[in-house]
Every structure is written in structure tokens, then in C-alpha cells.
């Protein structure tokens, strides 16, 4: 069963974020989109979020957040997502206005309004969530569940620093704040994403659905799909969609492991790596349920539904 509990998405849209956001609005009560820089700069990620709200026909508030990582600057992922984050399609801008509330403050406020009920799904760098934690250390006590897309638990990342995954690598200090201060969370990492790709032919069929969401997503994802094929990926990978599927339907998880996960901040070759205490030698408390496998059919059904292709 998918959820109808209140949900808050912390995100940096981004093509794969867009698919996850479509999924969330199909299956949950989305109370807001907290926006950070990451895949591209904040101006673009906010504009993309507003456009998605238009396409879905919802009134979901968009809260602009952090424009930079907490400490050090980082490179974006425009080479995959396009300079605007949505494939440089030149879509017509939304006429909506973003909310006049910082994302970190919105996270704290919504956790109070929906205390004990709210699920937070973090799909981008953890800058907003880390700032919210520093402002409001009691935040985790009020959040029912936190799902994080990030990391590479066996060191097979997707950045120029081999062990690092993009979201964690973009702002390792923020990830360190969250991982060190949140008692327990679900972690959907890059390696799980690689095991749960989508067949290109199936995805093309879903994107041909007679639905505005499918048409828009087909347009903004065209560049990314082409990039993936050109770089030899056998299937389309959508990390944020996988994390959202886990958030929406926990029964989708078929294999997981509970371990302590920390963040490497200083290594010249390993900054941003997620370090998992697989053998439980560090005597540190378990903080993560690491998702190792999901039911592929349920995952794909959630995507089809969100594109109007069911």
C-alpha cells in the first residue's frame, strides 16, 4: 500500500528528482518542496520545482533554500541534466511565485504542524536539512521517517572521487551533520540504483502515454536518456525515483541491512564517501537501514502510475 501521510521533499530538481516528485504527488499528500542547489544552481532548481507544480496542477508550496554547500563550493551536474537542470528544453517558465520562507525554516515548521506524522524524503544534497538541524536540534523527534537518497555503500560512486555519490559529495559537511544527528533513517544509495534500472523500451512506452505529465517528463528527460545510452548504460537509472518508491511503499524493500554509516570529510581521494561499518567493529550506534534490494515490479508500477501510463 502506498502512503497518504504528509510528506515533505527536500530536493534539487534535476531530471530524476522530477520523476520522484511526480510519483509523490500521485501517491502522497505533499506538503512542500524544499529546494537546494545541487544538480544545477538554486535559481534553476526553484524554477524547475515551480514548473513541476504547474504540470501537476497542484498548489504545493516551493521553499527556496541553500544556494551553496555549507563549507566548500562544489561542481554541479549540468553535464547530465542540462544547464537548466531540465534538459535545456526551453520550457515556458511558471508564473507562480516561490514561498517567502527559507527551506530550512519550512522543514522545521512543517515538522511541528505534522508532528509524529511527517515523512521527509531527501533527494538532493543535505544542506537544507543540516541547516534545519542546527537551528532545531529536536527536529528528528518530530519526524516520523527520513528517507535519504545518497551514498555508495561499497565505494562505487558516481563522481570524480570514486567512492563518492553526487548528493553526499556535493556537501559532505551537511551529510555529516545529518548522519551524525539523526537517530535512524532509510538510506537508498547509488549502488541500489544500479541494481534497479529501467529498461529503455519500457520507459519509452510509458512516456508515450496520453498524459501531460508523461509528455513533460519525456521532454525534460530526453537529454539525460540520450546521455545514458551514449555512456553505455544498459538501463536507465533513476536514483531519486527509487528512493521515492521506498518512501511511498516500505513493503517494496526485499533486502536491507542496519548499520552505522559515517561520512568521510578529509580524504584526498575519498571526501564525500559513505563509510559503512559492515562488520560492526566501531562500536557506534546503528543509524541507517540500508536498502539493498526492492521488488522491481512494484517500483515500476509506481513510476507508470505517476506518468499516467498504468
Amino acid at each position: 500500500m502506498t502512503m497518504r501521510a504528509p510528506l515533505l521533499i527536500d530536493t534539487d530538481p534535476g531530471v530524476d528528482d522530477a520523476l520522484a516528485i511526480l510519483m509523490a504527488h500521485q501517491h502522497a499528500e505533499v506538503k512542500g518542496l524544499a529546494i537546494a542547489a545541487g544538480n544545477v544552481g538554486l535559481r534553476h532548481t526553484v524554477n524547475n520545482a515551480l514548473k513541476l507544480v504547474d504540470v501537476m496542477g497542484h498548489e504545493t508550496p516551493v521553499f527556496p533554500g541553500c544556494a551553496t554547500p555549507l563549507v566548500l563550493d562544489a561542481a554541479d551536474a549540468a553535464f547530465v541534466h542540462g544547464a537548466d537542470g531540465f534538459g535545456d528544453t526551453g520550457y515556458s517558465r511558471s508564473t507562480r511565485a516561490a514561498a517567502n520562507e527559507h527551506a530550512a525554516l519550512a522543514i522545521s515548521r512543517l515538522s511541528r504542524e505534522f508532528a509524529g506524522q511527517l515523512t521527509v524524503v531527501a533527494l538532493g544534497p543535505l544542506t537544507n536539512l543540516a541547516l534545519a538541524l542546527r537551528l532545531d536540534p529536536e527536529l528528528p523527534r518530530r519526524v516520523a521517517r527520513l528517507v535519504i537518497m545518497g551514498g555508495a555503500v561499497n565505494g562505487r560512486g558516481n563522481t570524480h572521487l570514486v567512492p563518492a555519490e553526487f548528493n553526499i559529495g556535493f556537501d559532505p559537511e551537511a551529510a555529516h551533520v545529518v548522519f551524525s544527528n539523526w537517530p535512524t533513517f532509510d538510506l537508498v544509495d547509488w549502488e541500489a540504483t544500479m541494481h534497479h534500472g529501467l529498461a529503455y523500451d519500457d520507459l519509452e512506452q510509458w512516456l508515450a502515454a496520453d498524459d501531460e505529465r508523461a509528455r513533460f517528463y519525456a521532454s525534460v528527460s530526453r537529454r539525460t536518456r540520450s546521455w545514458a545510452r551514449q555512456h553505455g548504460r544498459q538501463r536507465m537509472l533513476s536514483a531519486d525515483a527509487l528512493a521515492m518508491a521506498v518512501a511511498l511503499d516500505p513493503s517494496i524493500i526485499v533486502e536491507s541491512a542496519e548499520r552505522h554509516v559515517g561520512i568521510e570529510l578529509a580524504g584526498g581521494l575519498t571526501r564525500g564517501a559513505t563509510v559503512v561499518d559492515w562488520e560492526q567493529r566501531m562500536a557506534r550506534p546503528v543509524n541507517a537501514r540500508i536498502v539493498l534490494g526492492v521488488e522491481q515490479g512494484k517500483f515500476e508500477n509506481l513510476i507508470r502510475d505517476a506518468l499516467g501510463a498504468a
Side-chain angles (χ1 to χ4, degrees):
M1 294 291 291
T2 54
M3 66 185 295
R4 277 293 170 188
L7 185 148
L8 173 65
I9 307 172
D10 192 16
T11 178
D12 61 334
V15 171
D16 51 345
D17 305 75
L19 182 55
I21 292 167
L22 293 175
M23 293 165 64
H25 282 81
Q26 178 71 16
H27 296 287
E29 297 293 335
V30 182
K31 298 302 180 182
L33 303 177
I35 309 300
N39 284 321
V40 289
L42 185 66
R43 177 172 64 89
H44 289 306
T45 55
V46 169
N47 287 339
N48 294 347
L50 293 169
K51 182 63 178 180
L52 276 170
V53 174
D54 277 349
V55 169
M56 295 180 296
H58 286 255
E59 297 298 327
T60 307
V62 172
F63 304 104
C66 297
T68 63
L70 290 182
V71 179
L72 300 178
D73 288 338
D76 64 23
F79 67 97
V80 176
H81 295 268
D84 68 354
F86 271 4
D88 296 325
T89 53
Y91 66 81
S92 58
R93 290 268 300 273
S94 172
T95 59
R96 297 173 185 265
N100 188 25
E101 182 180 18
H102 192 281
L105 299 177
I107 291 169
S108 179
R109 175 178 59 78
L110 288 168
S111 76
R112 295 177 188 278
E113 290 184 18
F114 300 98
Q117 305 173 57
L118 188 68
T119 292
V120 175
V121 187
L123 302 178
L126 294 171
T127 319
N128 290 332
L129 194 56
L131 181 57
L133 263 169
R134 286 300 192 225
L135 294 169
D136 181 5
E138 296 300 310
L139 174 65
R141 295 180 180 273
R142 300 191 302 272
V143 172
R145 186 174 175 221
L146 171 62
V147 179
I148 296 173
M149 188 284 122
V153 297
N154 291 300
R156 298 183 62 190
N158 61 351
T159 73
H160 70 289
L161 295 177
V162 174
E165 174 275 332
F166 177 81
N167 284 344
I168 305 299
F170 187 87
D171 195 344
E173 283 76 17
H176 172 71
V177 169
V178 174
F179 281 49
S180 299
N181 291 279
W182 210 284
T184 182
F185 51 87
D186 286 345
L187 184 66
V188 181
D189 84 318
W190 178 248
E191 292 169 40
T193 302
M194 291 193 292
H195 291 130
H196 290 287
L198 307 170
Y200 290 109
D201 289 347
D202 290 343
L203 182 57
E204 296 293 340
Q205 182 179 353
W206 305 339
L207 294 175
D210 184 19
D211 189 288
E212 177 61 21
R213 296 166 298 175
R215 286 188 288 271
F216 182 76
Y217 193 72
S219 175
V220 300
S221 67
R222 187 170 293 114
R223 172 176 173 148
T224 302
R225 288 182 281 127
S226 175
W227 182 92
R229 287 180 181 270
Q230 290 170 9
H231 285 76
R233 288 188 178 168
Q234 298 303 304
R235 297 168 74 86
M236 186 69 185
L237 304 181
S238 187
D240 293 336
L242 184 63
M244 186 57 71
V246 167
L248 294 171
D249 185 2
S251 75
I252 200 173
I253 301 170
V254 296
E255 185 179 4
S256 64
E258 296 186 358
R259 295 292 189 276
H260 178 83
V261 184
I263 307 298
E264 174 58 49
L265 299 179
L269 295 176
T270 57
R271 175 173 159 80
T274 40
V275 180
V276 182
D277 186 10
W278 287 114
E279 305 304 323
Q280 299 177 290
R281 297 171 181 165
M282 300 171 67
R284 296 185 180 182
V286 168
N287 60 352
R289 176 171 68 160
I290 302 167
V291 175
L292 299 174
V294 305
E295 190 172 332
Q296 185 73 17
K298 285 185 176 181
F299 173 39
E300 294 183 3
N301 286 340
L302 289 169
I303 293 173
R304 283 203 303 269
D305 287 348
L307 296 171

